[in-house]
Amino acid sequence: MKKTQFSKPLLERVPLYLKYLYSIKDNEKRVSSTAISQALKLGEVQVRKDLNVISGSGKPKIGYEIQSLICNLEDFLGKTKRVKVALVGAGKLGKALYGYAGFEEYGVEICAAFDLLVEKTQAFRDEKLIYPIGAFSDYVRENNVMIGIIAVPEQSAQATADMMVKSGIKAIWNFAPGKINVPQEVTLRSENMAASLALLASEFKG
Amino acid sequence: MKKTQFSKPLLERVPLYLKYLYSIKDNEKRVSSTAISQALKLGEVQVRKDLNVISGSGKPKIGYEIQSLICNLEDFLGKTKRVKVALVGAGKLGKALYGYAGFEEYGVEICAAFDLLVEKTQAFRDEKLIYPIGAFSDYVRENNVMIGIIAVPEQSAQATADMMVKSGIKAIWNFAPGKINVPQEVTLRSENMAASLALLASEFKG
């Protein structure tokens, strides 16, 4: 997979564009950047720039063809669609992430969760399952899972990361407090919730 | 409260410095930036720069006085200590945040949680409580709560934000998917979990 060339803010706007475009009545064939920017309260220059990256430029005075714009936006999110994600640690945070409703509109999904305290595979909403931790490596290899999410307590985080790396995980999204180490070829993103809150506390306009 | 002049990466390193300094034996009085940088696997220039911001520079060949360095680092985190934080939405994510162990070392704490489905105040671990949502405004006013965390489903997020603003909350940390609007004088930080995962999926070195 090639390195991304788009920014997170752009990625965050794609579902907004789609939501608006889906809402346009079926008999409309085209939409202008002005209409989009007004509906979403975004700058028109911003909208044109975003859509240019994703779909090419609209035609002057004609605008964008709605159906082809929708296809291109969906394709754009689809870039990440085939990347499989597994989660380790099905406590409160793990379950919150596993059941998080917001992933779908970005074309990502956590396909399996694993927990040390689970002895027999358990159901978790609809078709999702929580597996015993011992099943992790085989699952990852058989299903070509690329991303691992760590939602275990701090003291188990490094061991979990090591297990993920050994199983062939390519990127880790870590929610445990504290520092973990991974080999250079593995991407590590750590969500330091506490630092985020502390920074917000120090930053807000009082 | 004045606008912050430090970065999140610096803020994230402060607990690491403290943890290392606490671990040094009592009979040691001083520590060098070399020792700190080796123990924490950080660049020495980085360490000197960080400590200079927080505590002033160490003395050449003598280093830093451990006790005064600890005091200064603790003070630095203490900047955020008196800011009170309340959470709305005590579902899985809300409870995970409410019970998150990592906040303490950054000197921040969520002091109360509120939920629509709670009719009578409930205990939540140790001394923490979950209150009925109706108690939110009074609690915020009486306790001078500055920060509100939104951990409700997407469809209730805007109403929750409005209630927070009306109650006098100055900064909002939003975990609900989708977009919410707040007046300009209120700081809004949204954690778009899905976009984070989608970005990681598109970014990792494959």
Side-chain angles (χ1 to χ4, degrees):
Chain A
M1 180 165 288
K2 70 175 197 285
K3 194 101 178 100
T4 177
Q5 270 138 30
F6 49 89
S7 68
K8 189 172 171 191
L10 166 57
L11 189 63
E12 289 183 325
R13 287 189 293 271
V14 174
L16 300 179
Y17 291 133
L18 278 171
K19 209 179 270 179
Y20 172 65
L21 294 170
Y22 293 147
S23 78
I24 298 176
K25 274 173 281 147
D26 277 351
N27 53 348
E28 302 277 346
K29 294 289 174 233
R30 296 192 182 80
V31 64
S32 68
S33 51
T34 318
I36 298 175
S37 69
Q38 280 170 358
L40 299 177
K41 290 181 191 152
L42 294 169
E44 206 177 323
V45 175
Q46 179 84 80
V47 170
R48 280 212 214 98
K49 226 171 112 184
D50 286 351
L51 298 184
N52 193 33
V53 169
I54 295 166
S55 182
S57 56
K59 286 186 189 135
K61 300 199 177 159
I62 293 177
Y64 302 88
E65 284 219 42
I66 295 174
Q67 274 319 312
S68 94
L69 192 52
I70 288 179
C71 280
N72 289 330
L73 287 162
E74 286 177 340
D75 260 8
F76 181 80
L77 286 183
K79 278 188 180 187
T80 59
K81 217 167 218 157
R82 278 141 302 179
V83 176
K84 291 203 175 155
V85 183
L87 178 145
V88 174
K92 285 199 193 72
L93 178 63
K95 280 183 180 149
L97 288 165
Y98 201 22
Y100 186 67
F103 287 136
E104 201 187 340
E105 58 177 345
Y106 284 86
V108 284
E109 194 204 6
I110 302 173
C111 57
F114 299 83
D115 197 281
L116 192 65
L117 299 177
V118 166
E119 289 182 4
K120 265 184 72 177
T121 302
Q122 292 176 358
F124 174 79
R125 293 196 200 172
D126 303 337
E127 292 154 28
K128 295 197 163 192
L129 296 170
I130 303 175
Y131 299 91
I133 191 73
F136 183 81
S137 291
D138 284 347
Y139 186 95
V140 165
R141 289 198 191 97
E142 281 160 22
N143 294 280
N144 200 22
V145 174
M146 291 289 180
I147 297 183
I149 298 179
I150 297 181
V152 301
E154 181 169 7
Q155 61 271 25
S156 326
Q158 184 62 56
T160 304
D162 294 346
M163 174 191 74
M164 286 182 170
V165 171
K166 238 188 206 161
S167 309
I169 289 284
K170 300 280 185 267
I172 291 176
W173 195 18
N174 175 38
F175 283 86
K179 209 181 162 181
I180 60 172
N181 298 303
V182 298
Q184 226 186 338
E185 67 274 16
V186 173
T187 300
L188 174 66
R189 178 89 34 89
S190 284
E191 293 291 332
N192 191 329
M193 300 293 206
S196 296
L197 181 56
L199 196 67
L200 186 60
S202 71
E203 247 180 12
F204 74 84
K205 302 147 196 164
Chain B
M1 180 168 286
K2 68 173 199 289
K3 194 104 178 100
T4 179
Q5 270 139 29
F6 48 89
S7 67
K8 189 172 171 192
L10 166 57
L11 189 64
E12 289 184 322
R13 287 187 294 271
V14 174
L16 300 178
Y17 292 132
L18 278 171
K19 209 180 269 180
Y20 172 64
L21 294 170
Y22 292 148
S23 78
I24 297 175
K25 274 173 280 150
D26 277 350
N27 53 349
E28 302 277 347
K29 295 290 173 231
R30 296 193 182 80
V31 65
S32 68
S33 51
T34 319
I36 298 174
S37 69
Q38 282 171 359
L40 300 177
K41 290 180 191 150
L42 293 170
E44 206 177 324
V45 174
Q46 178 83 83
V47 170
R48 280 212 212 97
K49 225 172 112 184
D50 286 350
L51 298 184
N52 194 33
V53 169
I54 294 165
S55 182
S57 57
K59 286 186 187 133
K61 300 201 177 158
I62 293 177
Y64 302 88
E65 283 219 46
I66 295 173
Q67 273 320 311
S68 92
L69 192 52
I70 288 178
C71 281
N72 289 329
L73 288 162
E74 286 177 342
D75 260 8
F76 181 81
L77 287 183
K79 279 187 179 187
T80 59
K81 217 165 221 161
R82 280 142 300 177
V83 177
K84 291 202 176 157
V85 184
L87 178 145
V88 174
K92 285 199 194 74
L93 179 62
K95 281 184 180 150
L97 288 166
Y98 201 25
Y100 186 66
F103 287 135
E104 201 186 340
E105 59 177 344
Y106 283 86
V108 284
E109 195 204 3
I110 303 173
C111 57
F114 298 83
D115 197 281
L116 192 66
L117 298 176
V118 166
E119 288 181 6
K120 265 184 69 177
T121 302
Q122 292 177 358
F124 174 79
R125 291 197 201 173
D126 304 336
E127 292 153 29
K128 295 197 164 192
L129 297 170
I130 303 174
Y131 299 91
I133 192 73
F136 182 81
S137 292
D138 284 346
Y139 186 95
V140 165
R141 289 197 191 99
E142 281 160 22
N143 294 280
N144 201 22
V145 174
M146 292 289 179
I147 297 183
I149 298 178
I150 297 180
V152 300
E154 181 169 7
Q155 60 272 26
S156 325
Q158 184 62 54
T160 304
D162 294 345
M163 174 191 73
M164 286 182 171
V165 171
K166 241 190 206 161
S167 309
I169 289 284
K170 300 280 184 266
I172 291 176
W173 195 19
N174 175 38
F175 282 86
K179 210 180 162 182
I180 59 174
N181 297 304
V182 298
Q184 227 187 338
E185 67 274 17
V186 173
T187 300
L188 173 66
R189 178 88 37 87
S190 284
E191 293 291 333
N192 191 329
M193 300 294 209
S196 296
L197 181 55
L199 197 67
L200 186 60
S202 71
E203 246 182 10
F204 74 84
K205 302 148 198 166

